[in-house]
């Protein structure tokens, strides 16, 4: 597979039951491309965590995924409240999620650290009142089918 | 260990994907916060959880897990069952509490994930 494949998802903010659908679809697409399973898993988790963050913290947003010959790029952009202190938000265990979100299974404060850990390139830009953009790159092995 | 043995050890009801009960599984984790589950990417195949919503199934799917055990007799709704069938994940419901369920599986030889 040498040509690139672009996936676009619009993530709804108000619907927790739909959260993760985009990541699941992305994973299904990746499984058809000959990318090794461990890399598929890492890429899917990055997307899932980012998608959940946009649903929970930013009232939704947009995702663009570019699957190229040598890498996958995941770009998540929202117009949510932004993150005032990114360094703090990146710490394991830091969360602003209220109790009702924890009862839904989120708010461990592990999402952003997980995204950083599982991607080969991670960049986050955020401005309070404007929104947040997260870019993740996952490298692909050479000589794929 | 086969998923079938897990259901027996935990006295669990099999809620879907009976045809996958002979799948082999090698490790498990017990957790209610999904990002904690997602923090250990190595081959975990069973999730024990008290969290009964679509996100527990999505999380298991992201991790390529084969089986979810809902503890304390919790039961998923139809939307969750449909998603689990679609993604090929066996759902079990055990009357045991989390600590006991994990303890029984661990004693029976099902490993957890260690920090290193
Ligand atoms: N897209 C976003 N918009 C605004 N704030 C965000 C966004 N993503 C993350 N944050 C902030 O950063 C904090 C840490 O995010 P992180 O994903 O690590 O943990 P969490 O979402 O709170 O919990 P978990 O991901 O473990 O379920 C969040 O609690 C929130 O305050
Ligand atoms: Mg998060």
């Amino acid at each position: 597979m040498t040509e690139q494949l672009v996936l676009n998802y619009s993530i709804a903010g108000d619907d927790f039951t739909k959260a993760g659908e985009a990541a699941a679809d992305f994973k299904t697409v990746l499984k058809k491309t000959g990318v090794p399973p461990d890399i598929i898993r890492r890429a899917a988790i990055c997307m899932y965590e980012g998608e959940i963050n946009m649903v929970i913290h930013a009232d939704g947003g947009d995702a663009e995924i570019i699957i190229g010959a040598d890498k996958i790029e995941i770009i998540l952009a929202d117009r949510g409240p932004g993150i005032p202190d990114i360094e703090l938000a990146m710490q394991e265990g830091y969360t602003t999620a209220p109790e009702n979100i924890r009862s839904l299974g989120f708010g461990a404060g592990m999402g952003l650290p997980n995204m950083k850990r599982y991607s080969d390139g991670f960049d986050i830009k955020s401005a309070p009142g404007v929104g947040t953009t997260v870019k993740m790159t996952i490298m692909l092995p050479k000589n794929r089918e | 260990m086969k998923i079938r043995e897990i259901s027996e050890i935990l006295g669990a009801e099999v809620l879907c994907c009976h045809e996958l009960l002979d799948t082999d599984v090698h490790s498990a984790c017990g957790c209610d916060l999904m990002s904690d589950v997602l923090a250990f990417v190595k081959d975990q195949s069973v999730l024990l959880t008290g969290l009964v919503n679509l996100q527990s199934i999505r999380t298991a799917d992201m991790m390529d897990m084969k089986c979810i055990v809902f503890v304390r007799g919790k039961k998923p709704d139809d939307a969750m069952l449909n998603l689990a069938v679609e993604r090929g994940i066996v759902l079990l419901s055990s009357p045991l509490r989390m600590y006991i369920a994990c303890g029984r599986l661990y004693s029976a030889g099902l490993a957890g994930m260690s920090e290193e």
Side-chain angles (χ1 to χ4, degrees), chain A residues 49-50 52-53 56-57 95 106-112 115, chain B residues 35:
Chain A
E49 290 281 18
I52 297 281
N53 274 359
I56 291 176
H57 305 296
T95 183
F106 293 88
M110 291 300 289
L112 289 173
M115 289 152 80
Chain B
S35 292

Side-chain angles (χ1 to χ4, degrees), chain B residues 50-97:
Chain B
L51 181 77
V52 190
N53 65 23
L54 282 168
Q55 300 312 324
S56 49
I57 300 179
R58 292 260 179 240
T59 299
D61 182 33
M62 289 302 131
M63 297 289 278
D64 302 310
M65 287 172 147
K66 310 279 187 269
C67 172
I68 303 176
V69 180
F70 296 115
V71 294
R72 277 182 282 134
K74 294 184 181 178
K75 297 268 171 69
D77 63 18
D78 285 348
M80 297 176 63
L81 280 169
N82 290 340
L83 182 62
V85 169
E86 185 191 314
R87 307 304 286 194
I89 299 169
V90 181
L91 299 186
L92 305 177
S93 175
S94 166
L96 301 177
R97 308 188 64 151

Side-chain angles (χ1 to χ4, degrees), chain A residues 16-17 19-21 24 27-28 41 44-45 48-49 102-106 110 114 117-118, chain B residues 32-36 38-43 51 53-55 58-59 61-64 87:
Chain A
F16 194 72
T17 61
E21 272 185 7
K27 190 169 186 186
T28 305
R41 197 187 297 167
I45 293 172
Y48 183 60
E49 290 281 18
R102 286 178 71 86
S103 69
L104 294 171
F106 293 88
M110 291 300 289
N114 283 349
R117 179 170 31 223
Y118 296 139
Chain B
D32 289 345
L33 286 176
M34 295 302 109
S35 292
D36 274 341
L38 294 163
F40 294 95
V41 79
K42 289 254 170 57
D43 284 297
L51 181 77
N53 65 23
L54 282 168
Q55 300 312 324
R58 292 260 179 240
T59 299
D61 182 33
M62 289 302 131
M63 297 289 278
D64 302 310
R87 307 304 286 194

Side-chain angles (χ1 to χ4, degrees), chain B residues 9 17 20 25-26 29 32 47 54 57 62 72 93 101 104:
Chain B
I9 291 167
C17 302
L20 300 175
V25 293
H26 302 286
C29 83
D32 289 345
L47 171 64
L54 282 168
I57 300 179
M62 289 302 131
R72 277 182 282 134
S93 175
R104 286 208 187 158

Side-chain angles (χ1 to χ4, degrees), chain A residues 124-138:
Chain A
I124 179 166
K125 290 202 168 51
S126 190
V130 180
T132 302
T133 302
V134 177
K135 282 187 195 161
M136 291 173 280
T137 308
I138 290 110

